[in-house]
Amino acid sequence: MSRNPRPKQKDIWRSTTVLSVRRGGTVALGADGQVTFNNTVMKSDTRKVRRVLDGSMLVGFAGSTADAFALLERFETKAKDYPGNITRAATELARDWRTDRALRRLEALMIVANKERTLLLSGNGDVVQPTDGIVGIGSGGQYATAAARALDRHSDLSATEIVREGLKIAAEIDVFTNESIIIEELPSDE
C-alpha cells in the first residue's frame, strides 16, 4: 500500500507590524520588534524602522528581513538618484521590484515617508499614498490601521502617540506582533 507523503509545510517568517500616521505637522513611523519563524519567536527587538538620506526620510518594512534590507538599500539608491522626489524614487523601485527576475522573489512590504508624503510600496508594483495619512503593513497592519484611524478621529493624541497606541492594540490581537516598539518621526510641511 502506497502512502502519499505528507506535504512539506513551507517555513514561514512572520515579522512585524508597521504603522505610519501623519498628523499635526508630523509624520510618525513605528514598528514592533518581533520576528517569528513558524511558531517560534526568534527575536523580540528587531529594528524595522530606519532613517535614510541623512535622516530626511523614514522607511519601515515588513516581511522577510533579508529581503527588506535589500529593498531598503535599493530604495535609498533610488532616492539619491531622484533627490527630493520620493514618489519617483518609490515608483522606480516598485517597477524594478515587479520586473527584475531576482527582485520579484523578494517578500516584503515597505512604507516610506518624508516631510511631504507617505507611500506604501509592494512587489506587485504598487505605490499607494493613503488619503488620510494612515497606513499599516505586516501581520497586524490592519489592526494597527483601524486603531490609528479611530484614535485620529476621536482623540487629541499626536502622530507619535497614535502610532504607539495603534501598535499596542495590534499586539493585543496579533500573535506575531509584540510591544517592543520603535518610532521615528519627522516634522512635515503640511
Side-chain angles (χ1 to χ4, degrees), residues 16-68:
T16 209
T17 299
V18 179
L19 177 63
S20 182
V21 173
R22 190 173 286 277
R23 184 177 208 210
T26 300
V27 60
L29 180 62
D32 78 296
Q34 184 164 291
V35 175
T36 57
F37 182 70
N38 290 331
N39 297 336
T40 305
V41 175
M42 301 298 291
K43 188 170 167 113
S44 63
D45 62 351
T46 300
R47 185 174 182 84
K48 300 169 199 163
V49 176
R50 301 271 195 261
R51 286 182 174 272
V52 296
L53 296 180
D54 298 323
S56 66
M57 286 190 194
L58 303 175
V59 178
F61 50 85
S64 166
T65 306
D67 292 354

Side-chain angles (χ1 to χ4, degrees), residues 78-89:
K78 295 291 185 187
K80 287 177 183 173
D81 290 345
Y82 303 100
N85 193 341
I86 189 174
T87 304
R88 178 75 188 269

Side-chain angles (χ1 to χ4, degrees), residues 18-31 49-51 57-60 111-119 130 132-136 144 148 157-167 181-188 190:
V18 179
L19 177 63
S20 182
V21 173
R22 190 173 286 277
R23 184 177 208 210
T26 300
V27 60
L29 180 62
V49 176
R50 301 271 195 261
R51 286 182 174 272
M57 286 190 194
L58 303 175
V59 178
I111 296 173
V112 298
N114 67 3
K115 291 180 178 185
E116 296 83 31
R117 289 189 173 69
T118 302
L119 302 170
D132 61 2
I134 299 172
V135 63
L157 296 176
S158 70
T160 299
E161 292 167 327
I162 290 173
V163 168
R164 184 172 316 285
E165 292 305 313
L167 289 170
I181 296 169
I182 294 175
I183 302 172
E184 295 283 350
E185 66 179 30
L186 292 172
S188 71
E190 291 179 356

